[in-house]
Amino acid sequence: MLTYQNTYLDDLVDLPNTLDHMLEDLLGSQNFETLGLHSVEGVWPLPQSITSSPERYPLNPQAFYFTYGSQSAAQEGCSVLDEAFKRYFSLIFPDYSSGYGFLRFSVDKPFTVQVSVGRNDCDSYPDEDSSEQYTLSVSAGQAYLKAETVWGALRGLETFSQLVYQEDFGSYYVNKTEIEDFPRFQFRGILLDTSRHYLPVQAILKTLDAMAFSKFNVFHWHIVDDPSFPYQSRTFPDLSAKGAFHPMTHIYTQLDVRRVISYARMRGIRVLPEFDSPGHTQSWGKGQSDLLTPCYSGSTPSGTFGPVNPILPSTYKFMATLFKEVSSVFPDSYIHLGGDEVNFSCWKSNPDVRAFMLKMGFGADFTKLEAYYMENIVNLTAALNRTSIVWQDVFDYHERIPKDTVLHIWKGVPASYEAELRAITKAGYRVLLAAPWYINHISYGQDWRNYYTVQPLNFSGTEEQKKLVIGGEVCMWGEYVDATNLTPRLWPRASAAAERLWSDEKQTSDVDKAFPRLKDFRCELLRYFSFSDNAHGIPITHHRTLFYEVCLTYTDASVSLRLQAGYPGRASLCRTLQTRVPRCLIITDHVTFLSI
Amino acid sequence: PTVDCLDLCQMLTAEPVFQASKYGSLWPLPQKVQISEVSFKLSSASFRIVDAKASSAGPSCSLLQSAYRRYYEYMFGSAKKQWGSKNNRRSDPSDLTELQVWITSPDSECDGYPSVTSDESCEYLLFLVHVMFYRSLETFSQLVSEDEYGAKSINATIINDFPRFQHRGILLDSSRHFLPIKVILSNLETMAMNKINVFHWHIVDEQSFPYLSRTFPQLSEQGAYHPYTHVYTPADVKMVIEFARLRGIRVVPEFDTPGHTQSWGKGQKDLLTPCYSGSKPSGSFGPVNPILNTTYDFMAKFFTEISTVFPDGYIHLGGDEVDFTCWKSNPDIQKFMEQQHFGEDYSKLESFYIQKLLDIVASTKKGYLVWQEVFDNGVKLKPDTVVHVWIGGRSDKEMSNVTAAGYTTILSAPWYLDYISYGQDWQKYYKVEPLNFEGTDEQKKLVIGGEACLWGEYVDATNLTPRLWPRASAVAERLWSAKNVTDIDDAFNRLSLHRCRMVERGIPAEPLFSSYCLHEYKGV
């Protein structure tokens, strides 16, 4: 420890320089090589193939550039990549962007990240076939990022940002690295439920940011359900005016929805809307009369309502109009139609429904009625050129659904969802797995381990069958979740599933090896979300970065000022300055600190 | 689909449906409430909170003055909102223009610290309000309701209130994860909203020693997660204590020994017992070394500092979960055991240590709390020792034993809030009856309260507040309200509103079940 004492006013005026001198003292006294313990394994989710060497290159935010390769199909003006360059610059150099960037030791040579894509899909939306493959090669002064699509380039930029680390003294480095990467599964989703609790748009956007950090690519928006209908429809404004928790403050306007979709697009994330019917529709009934089935108690209507009324032509007319709107608002080629948990008791109680059953020859089998309804709805969306996703219930009671429908498995323990995977893929349907990732179910301890050790293809079936598993989804149902607890409940638990869905299973089978990597990744997430404690206005940088601290003590006419600089876990430098200054000198934040 | 079948079946029978409670959003429920139909309007421009003429506290009582402002802002939002409205309107008789606060005891305790004997009871009639301490302001603010036009009103109400238990605490653990000061302060704020009056600060433990000691600065320099960013400086501690005082909350620090002390050893040589592997020291360390005089010299100096830094009359000394294996391995300890005729009974050695520690702390004029093991192991305790019951399973038996031995006690066993589970577990905490054990009335009087504990293994600033609230609110009502306040549906209705009020006041308290707040959490 080096200590300086009894220096006077000149030093105080020259505070930044003083700090620099202290840093030089400190720098001179340490062996750099022993400090750079950064490991490339820090990338989460783990790339398919990664080789790196201890050779490393300094990055100076003032001499760091993103450029387009000359052969790249996308060039400057490509909205997705131009925006991404800006975003990732701030993510790579968080301290620089937040005003802590005054610490410069030398002017380094420039470092360029050259991005080349094979297709100019800058203005399109990511879809089910979009390639997310990329290669990344980091060498002296340069990194080459090549991808087929801009979406692949986004994944590569995310990886690059995770490769960069900050030295304990505040300098940035990246190691010589070669990466070839692509996702194991095409569909890697997160479901948010905005019906059981309303989530402010800001909370959704923040989740989209975090999704990009873990390379999730589908936001499954379970936008309406029994409790509320927050989607403001252009065609049927009464649905939210009467069905939302509050018609003004608890709705998603068309503008809100567009904002979510475009924010997601910029991050290579698809927005998959779900309008679940015929069950889970209590809130729909408030704004659309005659849509729901009137329940009967004996021979008179009881005043309560059940699922959507499947026997009225008006129902299908309404649905056709609504889904026409939905398909024009949401650009994704998939629509989620729900179809789960239909309670038959209300249908059974209704004499008109029973008469319809007779007429159609359904007997007393209400699953046939449900199948009849779903078939109609699936055909409606097919006519709109949309692929339907439905919950597994639809397959369980009905095998005549169109072949390109995707089934979504949500029920049960491993044994039962594995059986379901087998059955559905055997029937030739594509399938999406959510059952093991019901992340709203919380428990004490490190439950992320359960999400991590899932083996989505661990069912008996042919290679062809396994190819039908298009991916998985983390579901955050909303009974107990709103903006107050969504983020800490979702992250980093969902990141465990992210690695399972992106990375090679063999390379990531050891949950204990994943633990330290996930721990680091969580700290990175905190840094991105700038979860900082700056309650006292004392400038403190975060995590592995250099810190400096000013401690003031007053006596009547003088102030003693102690400066400390150092880095976590090691010796620090202290310098005490004593001088006569006016009592009103209060150091409130780092800006004042710098301009003393 | 959001629930599996089993859950679904439970939901269908138990799904709570919100209905307005006749007690509105009052939480915890006062001892006696009568709310009439007569309603008064409250206008932000004319409403004042003032000291009653006969009150023993006046404008110089900064504690009350700052509370007035805080509660004015809770009720009407920040003053900024009112800039637009000119108030030329005369108040009419249906306006309530004044809340008079009358501190009736001769000593208002304005500049003191709340203590275990502070009277928190109050009684008030609208217009004329007797207030004996801080709590009634929170109650008053909870009576104010807002209609759909944003107009505030309050019904004529008579409340006579006092807490059922004197010690209503929350334990936060700042060792397993460091908790930034900001988080502690905002939780103190929330404790006040729930009439919690003890902040049990489990400040150090195995993992880290963030308390910056003036006498032994090396403890945090070496033992904190980070010597500058992850410590509580004397100024930080002072700030927490004063912030708590202004809200009528005691700060009881815990310095747990002889176990749970790995982090102490980093900065204080020879404090911990060297463990042996065979005949050689293994390089690892166990609990505090009870056989060295230096240990007691250190503790005496250390607790002298603690007794001056923390003004509360009590210090929590821990004493839980001492692992004997290291002591057993150490030849010096073995020899000492022989000299003292302890045989193979290492709990005697533990008692030996604790006894000496208690004498040290007693000499600083502080009372102390200890975890139940200290009592279980038969350590001689001062009569005013508070035994803290935490081990689940048969905690009723333990309560019975502790009180039969004549010790006062507080209960935490059923309120380990760090154990999370799916669903409305607040109901489980709510249904606890602390006096549900075998014992005489005299014994039951020895139960002075309880504490909700939020241990820190899986909790830091990112998730602490939503995990604690409103689950801890359930404990708060159990400890404040009358024994017969057990209607879980009425509790659900009031707690739903209470949690929305916390959200509106900027606290990310998590939801009870599918529903909404008029003003959702904005701090995303």
Side-chain angles (χ1 to χ4, degrees):
Chain A
M1 184 180 279
L2 299 159
T3 310
Y4 301 80
Q5 273 175 338
N6 300 326
T7 36
Y8 292 97
L9 191 61
D10 290 347
D11 291 80
L12 190 59
V13 172
D14 202 22
L15 205 56
N17 278 336
T18 311
L19 187 63
D20 273 353
H21 287 311
M22 291 165 62
L23 289 169
E24 277 169 25
D25 286 339
L26 196 60
L27 289 169
S29 68
Q30 297 286 338
N31 179 359
F32 250 133
E33 292 312 307
T34 59
L35 301 172
L37 291 170
H38 183 77
S39 138
V40 288
E41 309 243 303
V43 179
W44 190 283
L46 191 70
Q48 300 288 343
S49 144
I50 179 164
T51 45
S52 70
S53 83
E55 193 178 324
R56 62 178 195 174
Y57 318 107
L59 303 182
N60 178 347
Q62 295 193 318
F64 179 91
Y65 308 97
F66 289 108
T67 64
Y68 291 90
S70 56
Q71 302 298 310
S72 172
Q75 292 292 337
E76 210 170 308
C78 172
S79 56
V80 172
L81 289 179
D82 284 355
E83 285 288 319
F85 292 165
K86 262 166 67 182
R87 202 165 62 240
Y88 278 105
F89 184 86
S90 317
L91 289 172
I92 293 168
F93 304 111
D95 294 0
Y96 184 83
S97 340
S98 62
Y100 287 116
F102 71 99
L103 294 165
R104 266 168 275 124
F105 305 114
S106 61
V107 176
D108 300 302
K109 284 189 204 130
F111 190 99
T112 312
V113 179
Q114 199 187 85
V115 181
S116 301
V117 293
R119 271 216 309 275
N120 181 348
D121 38 13
C122 297
D123 298 319
S124 70
Y125 290 90
D127 65 38
E128 53 175 323
D129 303 317
S130 297
S131 158
E132 290 170 286
Q133 165 279 332
Y134 67 93
T135 61
L136 176 64
S137 162
V138 183
S139 52
Q142 205 126 34
Y144 294 99
L145 171 60
K146 289 197 184 118
E148 230 174 275
T149 65
V150 294
W151 321 117
L154 288 177
R155 304 296 169 245
L157 286 170
E158 176 58 39
T159 301
F160 180 80
S161 78
Q162 294 187 16
L163 287 175
V164 177
Y165 56 98
Q166 209 171 0
E167 233 321 315
D168 293 329
F169 302 104
S171 319
Y172 297 94
Y173 287 93
V174 63
N175 284 42
K176 184 174 168 61
T177 310
E178 298 287 333
I179 288 176
E180 275 183 53
D181 202 8
F182 53 88
R184 179 182 179 201
F185 291 106
Q186 182 58 41
F187 189 112
R188 305 177 309 284
I190 287 203
L191 175 150
L192 294 184
D193 169 0
T194 57
S195 172
R196 291 181 175 83
H197 283 98
Y198 176 81
L199 296 172
V201 172
Q202 207 52 42
I204 295 176
L205 301 186
K206 189 171 170 181
T207 304
L208 289 169
D209 268 327
M211 284 172 68
F213 300 152
S214 289
K215 298 192 173 74
F216 278 104
N217 69 348
V218 180
F219 166 38
H220 175 173
W221 195 347
H222 187 85
I223 192 166
V224 300
D225 204 301
D226 283 328
S228 78
F229 196 106
Y231 171 75
Q232 188 177 46
S233 159
R234 294 194 289 236
T235 340
F236 303 102
D238 273 356
L239 287 172
S240 64
K242 298 186 174 146
F245 283 134
H246 186 284
M248 307 301 292
T249 58
H250 286 61
I251 58 166
Y252 302 106
T253 65
Q254 291 292 318
L255 197 67
D256 291 338
V257 173
R258 276 211 292 277
R259 197 163 155 223
V260 168
I261 293 169
S262 110
Y263 200 88
R265 184 183 89 88
M266 286 297 178
R267 284 149 186 81
I269 296 170
R270 298 160 53 192
V271 178
L272 166 68
E274 176 178 354
F275 287 83
D276 190 354
S277 71
H280 289 279
T281 46
Q282 286 297 305
S283 68
W284 303 42
K286 296 184 184 160
Q288 184 68 16
S289 54
D290 301 333
L291 179 65
L292 303 186
T293 312
C295 313
Y296 277 65
S297 146
S299 59
T300 46
S302 69
T304 62
F305 293 88
V308 166
N309 193 335
I311 67 167
L312 300 178
S314 61
T315 294
Y316 300 101
K317 214 175 135 203
F318 165 80
M319 289 293 178
T321 318
L322 179 69
F323 279 110
K324 192 169 175 210
E325 172 184 329
V326 169
S327 68
S328 71
V329 172
F330 293 88
D332 201 76
S333 62
Y334 283 57
I335 293 180
H336 205 303
L337 299 175
D340 59 314
E341 299 183 312
V342 183
N343 184 338
F344 295 143
S345 55
C346 182
W347 280 350
K348 283 181 187 163
S349 78
N350 183 302
D352 299 333
V353 174
R354 288 200 304 264
F356 185 80
M357 293 278 290
L358 268 183
K359 197 179 99 191
M360 300 296 290
F362 292 162
D365 185 355
F366 282 86
T367 63
K368 290 202 169 123
L369 180 59
E370 187 179 6
Y372 165 85
Y373 171 83
M374 284 313 286
E375 208 170 301
N376 274 295
I377 301 296
V378 170
N379 289 339
L380 282 178
T381 48
L384 293 163
N385 241 341
R386 291 294 191 266
T387 307
S388 305
I389 305 188
V390 292
W391 296 107
Q392 70 181 85
D393 315 39
V394 179
F395 173 81
D396 297 347
Y397 58 68
H398 181 50
E399 294 184 8
R400 275 193 311 146
I401 33 184
K403 274 292 167 200
D404 70 333
T405 308
V406 178
L407 278 305
H408 200 162
I409 299 184
W410 66 277
K411 286 181 192 172
V413 294
S416 58
Y417 69 69
E418 281 160 14
E420 188 80 4
L421 278 165
R422 194 166 57 235
I424 294 177
T425 54
K426 196 158 178 220
Y429 293 103
R430 286 176 297 166
V431 66
L432 190 59
L433 183 64
W437 292 304
Y438 261 39
I439 211 161
N440 54 308
H441 290 185
I442 53 169
S443 59
Y444 183 71
Q446 297 193 32
D447 57 359
W448 69 272
R449 289 167 183 265
N450 305 335
Y451 308 130
Y452 192 78
T453 47
V454 171
Q455 296 176 296
L457 298 186
N458 188 26
F459 63 92
S460 56
T462 63
E463 283 309 300
E464 286 311 301
Q465 273 177 267
K466 308 230 163 159
K467 279 194 193 130
L468 291 171
V469 180
I470 61 170
E473 195 176 82
V474 170
C475 296
M476 182 58 96
W477 296 101
E479 283 88 347
Y480 303 105
V481 177
D482 70 2
T484 62
N485 58 355
L486 172 71
T487 301
R489 202 165 271 207
L490 192 51
W491 310 106
R493 295 161 79 228
S495 304
E499 180 149 296
R500 182 56 52 241
L501 293 170
W502 177 281
S503 308
D504 179 61
E505 194 169 296
K506 281 202 195 80
Q507 293 179 54
T508 55
S509 54
D510 187 338
V511 68
D512 292 321
K513 272 193 194 153
F515 179 58
R517 292 176 49 240
L518 186 57
K519 230 166 83 176
D520 284 354
F521 180 65
R522 178 188 97 103
C523 289
E524 293 300 304
L525 289 178
L526 291 192
R527 194 169 72 146
Y528 295 147
F529 286 148
S530 42
F531 226 106
S532 65
D533 169 38
N534 211 358
H536 320 305
I538 296 168
I540 298 167
T541 58
H542 314 295
H543 306 289
R544 296 165 305 180
T545 63
L546 174 111
F547 66 89
Y548 28 92
E549 187 176 10
V550 181
C551 316
L552 279 178
T553 38
Y554 290 106
T555 57
D556 266 356
S558 77
V559 57
S560 133
L561 188 151
R562 196 161 68 106
L563 259 180
Q564 296 180 321
Y567 48 94
R570 292 171 203 271
S572 70
L573 273 175
C574 284
R575 156 173 288 203
T576 304
L577 305 161
Q578 272 185 325
T579 189
R580 301 171 78 83
V581 292
R583 271 193 83 104
C584 61
L585 172 68
I586 296 169
I587 295 179
T588 52
D589 60 28
H590 67 274
V591 180
T592 326
F593 169 47
L594 294 178
S595 60
I596 284 174
Chain B
T2 76
V3 286
D4 53 47
C5 180
L6 199 82
D7 286 341
L8 182 72
C9 305
Q10 286 171 353
M11 292 294 170
L12 289 175
T13 52
E15 187 163 328
V17 182
F18 175 79
Q19 281 171 329
S21 161
K22 67 174 170 172
Y23 299 117
S25 64
L26 285 172
W27 193 280
L29 193 69
Q31 300 287 346
K32 277 184 204 149
V33 199
Q34 276 176 270
I35 303 177
S36 84
E37 297 288 302
V38 183
S39 164
F40 303 104
K41 282 181 266 176
L42 288 177
S43 137
S44 63
S46 61
F47 184 76
R48 297 285 178 271
I49 306 175
V50 298
D51 297 302
K53 269 202 190 107
S55 176
S56 62
S60 64
C61 179
S62 58
L63 182 150
L64 278 181
Q65 299 306 324
S66 60
Y68 296 167
R69 182 169 64 191
R70 198 164 64 244
Y71 280 98
Y72 180 87
E73 282 175 4
Y74 282 160
M75 287 184 278
F76 299 106
S78 62
K80 205 169 151 191
K81 248 159 108 182
Q82 274 90 49
W83 283 358
S85 67
K86 282 213 183 81
N87 185 51
N88 296 325
R89 187 174 79 93
R90 284 194 179 205
S91 54
D92 64 58
S94 68
D95 279 11
L96 181 72
T97 56
E98 231 174 54
L99 168 65
Q100 296 188 10
V101 179
W102 181 5
I103 308 292
T104 53
S105 70
D107 178 9
S108 62
E109 294 190 41
C110 271
D111 302 315
Y113 290 94
S115 72
V116 75
T117 58
S118 294
D119 189 347
E120 295 173 291
S121 62
C122 65
E123 179 185 333
Y124 59 99
L125 312 161
L126 278 180
F127 282 105
L128 181 65
V129 183
H130 304 244
V131 178
M132 295 181 72
F133 220 56
Y134 329 83
R135 303 292 164 223
S136 64
L137 283 173
E138 177 61 38
T139 310
F140 183 86
S141 76
Q142 294 188 3
L143 286 168
V144 174
S145 63
E146 189 183 29
D147 70 13
E148 51 200 294
Y149 302 101
K152 317 275 178 177
S153 62
I154 188 165
N155 285 30
T157 303
I158 299 173
I159 287 181
N160 189 329
D161 204 8
F162 54 87
R164 181 178 173 207
F165 292 104
Q166 192 55 249
H167 185 117
R168 304 178 307 280
I170 284 190
L171 175 150
L172 298 183
D173 169 2
S174 61
S175 171
R176 291 182 174 89
H177 283 99
F178 180 77
L179 299 175
I181 289 293
K182 212 159 57 174
V183 172
I184 295 180
L185 299 188
S186 88
N187 277 283
L188 286 167
E189 189 87 67
T190 318
M191 287 181 210
M193 295 172 197
N194 289 275
K195 299 189 170 75
I196 293 280
N197 69 347
V198 179
F199 167 35
H200 175 167
W201 195 350
H202 187 86
I203 191 167
V204 302
D205 204 301
E206 311 270 29
Q207 287 78 1
S208 77
F209 196 105
Y211 173 76
L212 200 162
S213 159
R214 278 183 286 223
T215 331
F216 302 101
Q218 70 277 15
L219 285 171
S220 62
E221 249 162 49
Q222 309 288 330
Y225 280 132
H226 185 281
Y228 301 106
T229 59
H230 289 58
V231 297
Y232 302 107
T233 65
D236 291 338
V237 173
K238 233 185 228 161
M239 192 194 295
V240 168
I241 293 170
E242 179 63 5
F243 196 90
R245 185 184 80 87
L246 291 176
R247 285 154 185 80
I249 298 171
R250 300 163 50 201
V251 178
V252 175
E254 176 180 352
F255 288 89
D256 190 355
T257 66
H260 288 277
T261 46
Q262 285 297 305
S263 68
W264 302 49
K266 295 186 182 159
Q268 187 65 17
K269 244 180 72 183
D270 300 333
L271 179 67
L272 303 187
T273 311
C275 314
Y276 277 65
S277 145
S279 60
K280 280 189 226 127
S282 69
S284 64
F285 294 87
V288 166
N289 193 334
I291 66 167
L292 300 179
N293 287 336
T294 51
T295 293
Y296 301 101
D297 294 343
F298 166 82
M299 290 294 171
K301 281 193 199 129
F302 183 75
F303 279 102
T304 304
E305 170 183 331
I306 297 308
S307 69
T308 57
V309 169
F310 292 91
D312 197 75
Y314 283 82
I315 298 178
H316 202 302
L317 298 175
D320 59 320
E321 299 184 312
V322 184
D323 181 358
F324 296 144
T325 49
C326 182
W327 279 350
K328 284 181 187 166
S329 77
N330 183 303
D332 299 331
I333 304 248
Q334 288 160 13
K335 212 190 291 166
F336 186 82
M337 293 280 290
E338 262 171 47
Q339 282 167 9
Q340 300 285 330
H341 309 294
F342 288 165
E344 287 296 301
D345 188 355
Y346 283 84
S347 69
K348 286 196 176 136
L349 182 59
E350 182 186 354
S351 298
F352 172 86
Y353 167 82
I354 299 267
Q355 209 104 65
K356 295 193 86 162
L357 182 69
L358 296 188
D359 290 342
I360 287 169
V361 174
S363 74
T364 66
K365 303 268 187 297
K366 294 284 189 187
Y368 40 77
L369 298 92
V370 291
W371 295 109
Q372 69 178 72
E373 286 101 314
V374 178
F375 167 80
D376 298 344
N377 289 343
V379 177
K380 200 181 90 207
L381 297 165
K382 279 201 306 174
D384 65 341
T385 305
V386 180
V387 177
H388 198 163
V389 174
W390 69 276
I391 298 177
R394 291 307 309 270
S395 58
D396 57 327
K397 193 97 187 54
E398 181 77 6
M399 297 290 281
S400 176
N401 291 344
V402 171
T403 51
Y407 294 107
T408 46
T409 179
I410 55 174
L411 179 66
S412 277
W415 292 316
Y416 264 39
L417 267 50
D418 50 319
Y419 290 117
I420 53 169
S421 58
Y422 185 68
Q424 299 199 37
D425 55 1
W426 69 272
Q427 300 193 355
K428 189 172 74 188
Y429 307 129
Y430 191 79
K431 287 173 182 162
V432 172
E433 169 44 53
L435 300 189
N436 202 3
F437 61 86
E438 268 177 52
T440 61
D441 285 352
E442 286 312 303
Q443 273 176 267
K444 307 238 161 154
K445 275 189 197 134
L446 291 169
V447 180
I448 57 167
E451 279 184 8
C453 300
L454 191 67
W455 295 99
E457 283 87 348
Y458 300 105
V459 178
D460 71 3
T462 62
N463 59 355
L464 185 142
T465 306
R467 197 165 279 199
L468 187 56
W469 309 103
R471 294 162 78 229
S473 305
V475 183
E477 176 150 304
R478 183 53 53 237
L479 293 172
W480 177 283
S481 306
K483 187 175 178 176
N484 63 6
V485 179
T486 53
D487 180 343
I488 198 92
D489 296 327
D490 187 62
F492 176 82
N493 296 333
R494 284 181 294 112
L495 189 54
S496 296
L497 295 174
H498 180 55
R499 107 88 196 176
C500 284
R501 177 170 45 231
M502 290 192 274
V503 168
E504 195 178 350
R505 292 175 182 182
I507 305 300
E510 66 179 26
L512 296 182
F513 194 67
S514 307
S515 182
Y516 72 106
C517 298
L518 214 47
H519 306 277
E520 297 287 359
Y521 183 60
K522 291 287 186 328
V524 178

